[in-house]
Amino acid sequence: MNSYKKLLPVFVLLLLFTSVTAQVNNKPAKAYNIEQATSGRAQLHTIAFDGLAFLTGNFGADCFFPPGKVADFFGFQYMRDNDKNLMGHNTDFLTRIANNVISILNKDQLSKLVSLANEQADLYTDFANKRMILIKAFRSSLEDNVPKNSAGLNKAAVIKYCGELYRIDGELSYRRAEVMGEIIRSFSADQKLAFSKLDFGNSDTWPIMPENLDKKSMTHRAHVGVMTYASELFSWYKGNVEADVYFCPERHGTYFGGFYLKDYPAMGNHGYNISTALTGDAGKSFLEILNPQQRKLMDTLPSLQKNNLGEIVKIRTQVAESLRKFMTGEKTDKAAVIADVIKYGNQDGEMSWYYANALTQIHKTLTVAQKEELKKLRNLDVLPQGTYLYSDVIPVPENLNCDFLFTATR
């Protein structure tokens, strides 16, 4: 007992130190950051979760994709993952902050967001359609439905194509920053004061506001765009470069159905909290189902992509710093930004090629018992009959030719 009393002050000091340290830079104790997102463990479990989705899913599920994952250089994901109110993965999170922003903007500022949404709608659709071609190639490889005499997915072709896909991401990002920067520069003193009352790191400071948008005057795609832009205008204005550079572990290699598996139960459910543990827990369980040879294919992926992730962090930093110049009216080199984002896509393409190859090899060696275990682990019997344009159900487009992504001769 005496020794316990002697140690008690030490325990108290340690607790105080931990508490103070956790609050440095206004971050929660278990802040999500770029180091955690790129760590080998986080990446392995995330890729494994995608593996579960891919091996138990279908083409339509692979195509499901949250619109906010496109052109994501504006700090929203960081704000979502580090919300002190723990509401970042609630389906009402984006709506709540978007409605607050819309209530603060004046008529002219809001009209700029509406015009931007209408202007970029076709680019969004183009991105989704081109993404489907890459997804078809990966699923064709998995199902051994490849062009005659093909030796498999062509790494160089996949890398190049993904770079061109990201060119669209760069166009979307640059123009979005241009418009949002113009709006931010036009904030009045009263608007700045209103924004100062909304905490970047705590959604509990965001009042519940009605949506002040005339949905009937815009398309569904434009409405989604305005809500997305409004939420990102806030996270960009109130955040910093660190937040803009951050990405969640599942940000890359998004062609394997992981988002469908994770987000489908939340669709249309207001106030639904998407589990933050699902990806890691299910990914870990997926790995435990594999035999040693199959497991080795997964275990090597984090090291294979280590350099890719390092380059991605560098590129995202360059792009984020360039785009932030729009807030102060500085000149931003569009060609340089687009070139950087194309390189970003090249990195994503190479990582995705690694994933597709490993998962295809594992698929070929799965036993009947393993397939049953994976089906139980999936715990989601719903598979789309058509496909998705982001989160909107559509028929599978005709003539999705992906042959050029395969090596021509065996």
Side-chain angles (χ1 to χ4, degrees), residues 281-297:
D281 291 348
K284 183 174 181 291
S285 296
F286 172 82
L287 295 171
E288 291 169 352
I289 292 171
L290 304 182
N291 66 37
Q293 291 74 29
Q294 295 164 340
R295 174 66 188 259
K296 185 177 180 181
L297 289 168

Side-chain angles (χ1 to χ4, degrees), residues 83-358:
D83 180 41
K84 289 181 181 179
N85 195 34
L86 302 180
M87 288 291 288
H89 293 270
N90 186 284
T91 50
D92 291 342
F93 183 78
L94 183 150
T95 303
R96 188 164 171 176
I97 188 57
N99 286 343
N100 272 276
V101 170
I102 290 169
S103 73
I104 295 172
L105 300 182
N106 62 39
K107 186 176 180 180
D108 180 61
Q109 292 164 340
L110 180 57
S111 70
K112 284 181 169 64
L113 290 188
V114 174
S115 296
L116 178 66
N118 288 320
E119 172 191 325
Q120 295 202 321
D122 287 345
L123 272 179
Y124 263 101
T125 300
D126 192 26
F127 183 92
N129 287 335
K130 283 184 167 59
R131 185 172 173 273
M132 287 182 193
I133 293 173
L134 188 60
I135 290 169
K136 184 180 179 182
F138 291 155
R139 184 147 289 277
S140 295
S141 175
L142 182 80
E143 298 173 353
D144 200 24
N145 184 25
V146 301
K148 187 177 180 180
N149 298 323
S150 169
L153 288 166
N154 184 300
K155 183 178 181 180
V158 169
I159 291 173
K160 180 180 178 182
Y161 185 79
C162 205
E164 290 305 308
L165 177 64
Y166 269 62
R167 178 191 293 274
I168 302 173
D169 188 292
E171 294 281 354
L172 289 165
S173 302
Y174 185 89
R175 180 63 177 145
R176 188 180 305 177
E178 185 176 32
V179 173
M180 293 200 309
E182 182 182 357
I183 292 172
I184 289 169
R185 296 197 308 272
S186 71
F187 283 165
S188 67
D190 287 343
Q191 287 178 316
K192 290 178 182 178
L193 178 62
F195 276 113
S196 72
K197 297 176 181 178
L198 304 175
D199 192 336
F200 174 86
N202 186 0
S203 63
D204 195 41
T205 66
W206 308 345
I208 297 176
M209 305 287 290
E211 184 173 325
N212 190 26
L213 276 179
D214 181 10
K215 293 183 182 180
K216 295 180 180 179
S217 67
M218 61 184 73
T219 64
H220 172 67
R221 176 58 50 211
H223 175 255
V224 171
V226 172
M227 297 296 284
T228 300
Y229 302 157
S231 66
E232 292 187 348
L233 190 154
F234 176 80
S235 61
W236 197 43
Y237 175 61
K238 297 280 285 188
N240 53 33
V241 170
E242 179 189 0
D244 298 346
V245 172
Y246 172 80
F247 53 80
C248 56
E250 56 262 61
R251 171 60 182 87
H252 308 103
T254 61
Y255 317 102
F256 304 97
F259 282 116
Y260 179 86
L261 182 57
K262 186 175 182 178
D263 293 355
Y264 181 83
M267 292 177 65
N269 290 332
H270 290 294
Y272 184 94
N273 283 304
I274 300 172
S275 170
T276 57
L278 175 62
T279 299
D281 291 348
K284 183 174 181 291
S285 296
F286 172 82
L287 295 171
E288 291 169 352
I289 292 171
L290 304 182
N291 66 37
Q293 291 74 29
Q294 295 164 340
R295 174 66 188 259
K296 185 177 180 181
L297 289 168
M298 296 299 298
D299 286 343
T300 58
L301 291 174
S303 59
L304 282 175
Q305 67 169 17
K306 184 176 181 180
N307 289 337
N308 300 105
L309 285 176
E311 286 302 309
I312 282 174
V313 173
K314 291 178 184 177
I315 292 169
R316 286 185 66 91
T317 301
Q318 291 169 193
V319 172
E321 290 174 346
S322 294
L323 294 182
R324 278 193 164 265
K325 292 179 180 179
F326 279 117
M327 285 197 195
T328 56
E330 296 177 67
K331 185 177 180 180
T332 303
D333 189 336
K334 181 177 181 179
V337 169
I338 301 299
D340 280 339
V341 181
I342 290 172
K343 292 175 184 176
Y344 184 1
N346 295 148
Q347 302 298 328
D348 181 61
E350 185 169 8
M351 291 192 298
S352 301
W353 182 85
Y354 290 140
Y355 304 168
N357 270 0

